[in-house]
Amino acid sequence: QSALTQPASVSGSPGQSITISCTGTSTDVGGYKYVSWYQQHPDRAPQLIIYEVTNRPSGVSNRFSGSKSGDTAFLTVSGLQAEDEADYFCTSYTNIATLVFGGGTKLTVL
Amino acid sequence: QVTLKESGPALVKPTQTLTLACTFSGFSLSTTGMRVSWIRQPPGKPLEWLARIEWDDDKIYSTSLKTRLTISKDTSKNQVVLTMTDMDPGDTATYFCARTRLGTGYAFDIWGQGTKVTVSA
């Protein structure tokens, strides 16, 4: 199973919105609602911010939102804040019951 | 409070077998829908999912590493163990265990802090 495709980096100014894409195939992202997103700060464990494409865990800011169209999932971060600067990873369930991660996107807040 | 903590050797030699333990608290792996996965991250690289064990003892492995991995659980000890054979310097990484529970799809809602493993002679 090939890794999901994410842009290597995105950037935005405080207060702006950015969107990160996560492209797979019909055997993973396109075939299931089981796409999740994680935020990872340097030398820290990842933290779940979106599950089942659109759902936010309790305690996660509503500035984070998820969506999906076809084989591509999206993470939008609105009202950018300095603390949002981190790496972001998507993951999806696959047709062979495995999980596959994206290559990760580094978000820089200018 | 749900916690997971990884433990194991910090250094292994090439060709050796790595054994990692994930000791958890705050939930039972006997509960329907509970799952624990192992995930690794080489320095400066993306996350890679390795294996998953489910509440009913079903086990699923990464297709690329399947021949080298074994995952097991000891419910009485609240522990999940991963073994990886024939270690190579390319397996140098931080290894995480993470929980998945019913109602969150296959998302990892709680992660351990990770344990760094270096493969070197």
Side-chain angles (χ1 to χ4, degrees):
Chain A
Q1 208 81 20
S2 299
L4 306 177
T5 300
Q6 297 181 233
S9 63
V10 297
S11 62
S13 299
Q16 288 186 331
S17 295
I18 62 92
T19 297
I20 299 171
S21 61
C22 169
T23 301
T25 69
S26 60
T27 62
D28 40 62
V29 174
Y32 303 93
K33 67 174 184 176
Y34 301 132
V35 175
S36 52
W37 290 90
Y38 302 85
Q39 178 190 63
Q40 187 180 32
H41 287 107
D43 297 319
R44 301 293 298 274
Q47 179 190 353
L48 176 66
I49 54 174
I50 295 288
Y51 67 95
E52 290 183 337
V53 179
T54 61
N55 296 325
R56 266 190 318 277
S58 173
V60 173
S61 171
N62 60 8
R63 297 185 300 103
F64 293 95
S65 61
S67 62
K68 190 180 83 163
S69 177
D71 296 340
T72 300
F74 302 93
L75 172 71
T76 297
V77 187
S78 58
L80 274 177
Q81 299 178 2
E83 68 205 47
D84 299 332
E85 186 160 297
D87 292 327
Y88 292 83
F89 294 92
C90 61
T91 189
S92 174
Y93 182 78
T94 79
N95 65 333
I96 53 173
T98 62
L99 274 293
V100 61
F101 277 95
T105 298
K106 181 176 180 60
L107 169 58
T108 300
V109 180
L110 301 170
Chain B
Q1 182 189 6
V2 173
T3 64
L4 301 95
K5 187 172 183 179
E6 306 86 351
S7 59
L11 179 66
V12 297
K13 291 180 171 27
T15 76
Q16 285 187 336
T17 293
L18 171 69
T19 299
L20 297 173
C22 173
T23 304
F24 56 87
S25 63
F27 69 96
S28 171
L29 199 41
S30 298
T31 301
T32 299
M34 288 296 181
R35 304 174 168 106
V36 171
S37 284
W38 282 96
I39 297 143
R40 70 179 179 180
Q41 187 172 35
K45 293 191 175 181
L47 298 161
E48 179 184 16
W49 179 82
L50 301 177
R52 179 175 76 245
I53 192 163
E54 311 212 335
W55 75 98
D56 59 359
D57 209 36
D58 198 11
K59 298 156 188 170
I60 301 93
Y61 297 98
S62 161
T63 53
S64 61
L65 293 168
K66 186 172 186 174
T67 60
R68 299 173 53 204
L69 297 174
T70 303
I71 192 169
S72 62
K73 64 182 173 76
D74 186 330
T75 305
S76 64
K77 291 183 179 179
N78 279 353
Q79 205 170 63
V80 172
V81 173
L82 181 77
T83 62
M84 181 180 292
T85 61
D86 194 24
M87 292 293 284
D88 177 86
D91 296 313
T92 293
T94 296
Y95 287 75
F96 297 97
C97 60
R99 184 191 78 160
T100 298
R101 62 176 174 84
L102 199 64
T104 59
Y106 287 82
F108 310 116
D109 67 332
I110 306 292
W111 293 65
Q113 63 190 21
T115 187
K116 290 186 179 180
V117 177
T118 300
V119 184
S120 174

